[in-house]
Amino acid sequence: MAMTDEAYGALRASAALWVGASVLITNQRGQVLLQRVSYRPTRLLPGGAVEGESPAQGAARELEEELGVRASVTRALAVDWVSSAGRTMPPIMNFRGELLHVFDGGVWDEDQIASIRCAPGEIEAVEFAEPADLPTLMAPDDARRALSALRARTNGTGAVLLEDGRPLVPTLLDRVNAFTRHRAAHHWPWQKGPAPAGMPVRQCWGWLFAPDGRVLTLLDPANGAACLPGGTPEPQDQGDPAATLTREAAEEAAVRISVPVLLGYLPDEHHSSGPCVRVRMAARLTDVGPSRPDPATGQTYVRALATPEQVIELFDWGLPAADQLAAAHQARARLGIPRAARQPLTELPELPDATDLTTL
């Protein structure tokens, strides 16, 4: 029998779900803005209930109400179906589930952060937290959702669908649990040119470019911790950073590279062995072998291809990161390699010979 409009409306109302919207904002170090609120013991992203408006409009309204900041919110990062099993609620609340949208609030500079005016009586304070600290600061489902949204932002391919904070189709960053370990924090100033004479070189890392302009990045399969290929000079390198990088690329990443070119260095004044420098170089990937454990550590890395901008997001290098990124792009152009379009991080395939690198 056909359902009347009245009966249909009653059925829809009985199945209605709460809809919410939140905003993921980071500072220039990639730390996530969290709110300390008066009504919950755990931290929250800015946001709240959608009130007869679109989720994007609701997110923008909540930003203004909670932080006193007017901003256009247009880019979605995640839509999360939160089930009744995914959130512990008192039975009296009759929680059936909810739909939560996460939008990208962008990267805020110091002036934008200084303009924040917390809503009195509701928002006690805001703070910026390292992504790896979200699980200890937020409720479990809120932390899962925020980290999934952050990974979606890094991948840059649009909103992901989540169920209880977990992606329906996990990406490489999801599979390696990216951002669950503290990112390497190196805030040394960037210096162009060769290291000063007599200053010991403690490390040589390389920006190793695939033909499509992406960079080889090594990820810990357990927690997503990232590093660029390279390592510590050994006696057989005879003080040549290029030899160090070539050897380390073969040992820890099972790849061969062109002759490296120097980008610059980072002075480390507080190394346990005394002041030193950390050299950065660039080269082309020329050959890829089967992945294998690094003989120095026993670790078998996930070999990922990422745009240079995505590489920066995987580390906490502070403001000097922009100068190193610019130097990497200058080297890329000198090597005749195109600029890579943003795309999800992908695992480097194991290729039989160098000619197949052109298909990446």
Side-chain angles (χ1 to χ4, degrees):
M1 185 176 67
M3 185 178 292
T4 66
D5 289 347
E6 181 180 8
Y8 181 57
L11 178 62
R12 287 176 60 91
S14 70
L17 296 175
W18 192 87
V19 177
S22 60
V23 184
L24 181 79
I25 298 163
T26 58
N27 62 13
Q28 292 172 304
R29 290 179 54 189
Q31 297 171 317
V32 178
L33 186 149
L34 300 179
Q35 297 182 153
R36 190 165 70 241
V37 298
S38 58
Y39 52 89
R40 286 184 66 170
T42 53
R43 309 292 194 267
L44 296 172
L45 297 178
V50 173
E51 301 173 358
E53 65 215 332
S54 73
Q57 291 169 337
R61 175 183 51 75
E62 289 285 347
L63 269 185
E64 185 172 1
E65 291 179 358
E66 295 182 338
L67 301 182
V69 175
R70 286 191 176 185
S72 175
V73 178
T74 58
R75 183 186 174 202
L77 294 177
V79 179
D80 191 10
W81 157 251
V82 181
S83 70
S84 57
R87 173 169 291 179
T88 303
M89 303 287 275
I92 195 173
M93 295 185 69
N94 192 29
F95 181 76
R96 298 190 183 100
E98 59 189 4
L99 283 174
L100 299 179
H101 300 71
V102 185
F103 291 90
D104 189 358
V107 179
W108 286 17
D109 59 25
E110 292 301 322
D111 290 339
Q112 289 171 295
I113 295 169
S115 71
I116 293 173
R117 298 293 181 267
C118 294
E122 180 183 2
I123 311 302
E124 296 177 343
V126 297
E127 59 193 55
F128 283 91
E130 177 65 17
D133 290 330
L134 298 188
T136 62
L137 296 171
M138 308 178 79
D141 59 320
D142 291 336
R144 288 195 301 269
R145 185 181 314 109
L147 287 171
S148 292
L150 183 61
R151 293 168 190 146
R153 181 211 260 187
T154 298
N155 274 323
T157 54
V160 296
L161 296 178
L162 311 176
E163 289 187 358
D164 293 327
R166 299 179 178 91
L168 289 176
V169 182
T171 66
L172 175 61
L173 288 179
D174 297 308
R175 295 199 301 271
V176 300
N177 299 306
F179 301 116
T180 57
R181 179 177 172 182
H182 283 113
R183 298 168 301 153
H186 300 156
H187 294 177
W188 306 298
W190 175 251
Q191 304 291 336
K192 294 182 179 180
M199 183 67 72
V201 175
R202 298 294 182 192
Q203 180 195 70
C204 181
W205 277 5
W207 294 76
L208 308 185
F209 286 94
D212 68 355
R214 289 184 292 171
V215 174
L216 177 60
T217 308
L218 306 180
L219 303 174
D220 187 311
N223 53 41
C227 64
L228 291 175
T232 304
E234 299 291 346
Q236 63 264 37
D237 303 330
Q238 298 183 339
D240 181 4
T244 297
L245 178 57
T246 301
R247 175 183 53 76
E248 287 283 352
E251 291 180 355
E252 67 181 4
V255 298
R256 288 189 288 184
I257 61 176
S258 64
V259 177
V261 297
L262 178 69
L263 298 185
Y265 66 93
L266 299 160
D268 182 357
E269 300 292 337
H270 304 290
H271 193 275
S272 58
S273 300
C276 63
V277 298
R278 300 169 185 262
V279 171
R280 299 291 181 260
M281 308 191 82
R284 296 188 195 90
L285 287 171
T286 61
D287 195 11
V288 177
S291 59
R292 58 177 182 262
D294 179 358
T297 65
Q299 172 72 278
T300 301
Y301 295 101
V302 174
R303 302 178 299 178
L305 292 175
T307 68
E309 288 72 22
Q310 289 168 325
V311 169
I312 295 296
E313 294 173 26
L314 296 174
F315 296 93
D316 176 12
W317 288 350
L319 295 180
D323 296 327
Q324 185 174 170
L325 177 62
H329 275 303
Q330 290 168 3
R332 172 192 56 74
R334 291 198 302 272
L335 292 169
I337 295 173
R339 190 182 189 111
R342 198 172 188 96
Q343 55 195 287
L345 275 77
T346 55
E347 192 163 0
L348 182 71
E350 296 182 359
L351 303 174
D353 55 59
T355 58
D356 285 341
L357 283 173
T358 60
T359 66
L360 293 177

